[in-house]
Amino acid sequence: METCYIRVAEDENEEPMEIPSEEDGTVLLSSVAAQFPGACGLRYRSPVSQCMRGVRLVEGVLHAPDADWGNLVYVVNYPKDNKRKMDEMDAASAVKIKRGIQKTSDLIVLGLPWKTTEQDLKDYFSTFGEVIMVQVKRDVKTGNSKGFGFVRFTDYETQIKVMSQRHMIDGRWCDCKLPNSKAGLDEPMRSRKVFVGRCTEDMTVDDLRQFFMQYGEVTDVFIPKPFRAFAFVTFADDQVAQSLCGEDLIIKGTSVHISNAEPKHNNIHHLFSNFPGRSPSLAAMFERSQYQYPSSHV
């Protein structure tokens, strides 16, 4: 029997690839796996019953149904665990593409000692990576430092590293983050926390941490007890969190939905509006304290 080709695809709706048969009309599983790594068999949709049927496999050799491959499209079978990993990798790749190339931004440095100069600031932050710009904000009349400044890096990864930790500068702890103005005057600061819906009970804190670490540094994972089918994951970078929002990801074979978790400080004015006197100044003061000394769970 002369060599013929059968049509094989990963999915019924995808464009098939032709795989050569052997002289006796059979197809080697190795021939299929050469084009579809990890393949363990084939299946096809019966023209009669419209149900999926498996192709007989004997010692690595696939045998044509009814001794004739016909003009059907055969779909590749994968081991369950292997298929799950492939789905997770595809989802991860899609989100990484969505994130694209990130640009650096000016970061505000809060809590600077009065004596810190721009050269001091540059010398310190240069230990993390190349610095494009540093500035210490000073009073126009007195020339004294206002206790904060700005820094900008060449590399985005350096920016993320700097934002993920506190800094001891001239004997004082300082915070480095995106300024409020980056979100716009009428917009809330973007949250670094995401809501993970449709979780299953077999998902642990370590499972979620290990999965989401592929997108960026994870600072916190919270699963409510008793179990309520959702969790919260906090990243060091708010851009990573925002890039995941709206995505459906595969974790341990289950599709979970990622959405934005509203930052706590968005509800501060609403909280204080219920207090006697409804003091806006009290709310503003609380917001400032939250801004300068952020919790690791916000």
Side-chain angles (χ1 to χ4, degrees), residues 136-249:
V136 174
K137 298 299 289 185
R138 299 182 179 278
D139 184 275
V140 177
K141 294 182 179 179
T142 65
N144 294 330
S145 170
K146 291 186 177 182
F148 70 95
F150 294 91
V151 62
R152 186 166 188 165
F153 297 92
T154 301
D155 185 54
Y156 181 75
E157 295 303 321
T158 302
Q159 173 176 308
I160 299 305
K161 183 179 180 180
V162 168
M163 291 172 59
S164 67
Q165 62 188 77
R166 301 194 76 193
H167 304 273
M168 177 64 72
I169 302 176
D170 288 340
R172 185 173 179 179
W173 284 109
C174 302
D175 293 303
C176 194
K177 62 197 301 181
L178 288 170
N180 276 333
S181 59
K182 290 293 179 182
L185 296 176
D186 298 323
E187 299 178 14
M189 289 182 64
R190 297 191 303 178
S191 176
R192 295 182 290 115
K193 182 185 295 183
V194 297
F195 176 88
V196 185
R198 303 198 295 254
C199 293
T200 56
E201 290 192 70
D202 65 333
M203 292 181 189
T204 65
V205 168
D206 286 340
D207 289 334
L208 295 181
R209 185 182 297 277
Q210 288 298 320
F211 178 83
F212 284 103
M213 278 174 59
Q214 64 185 302
Y215 302 110
E217 182 181 352
V218 174
T219 60
D220 186 62
V221 176
F222 175 71
I223 300 177
K225 294 183 179 180
F227 178 71
R228 296 172 62 186
F230 67 84
F232 292 98
V233 176
T234 306
F235 293 92
D237 179 15
D238 63 344
Q239 293 191 43
V240 174
Q242 296 305 310
S243 71
L244 289 171
C245 290
E247 296 289 338
D248 291 305
L249 305 177

Side-chain angles (χ1 to χ4, degrees), residues 62 78 94 104 120 252 256 264 282 298:
L62 294 158
Y78 291 101
T104 59
D120 294 332
K252 300 187 75 172
V256 300
K264 292 179 181 178
L282 184 60
V298 175

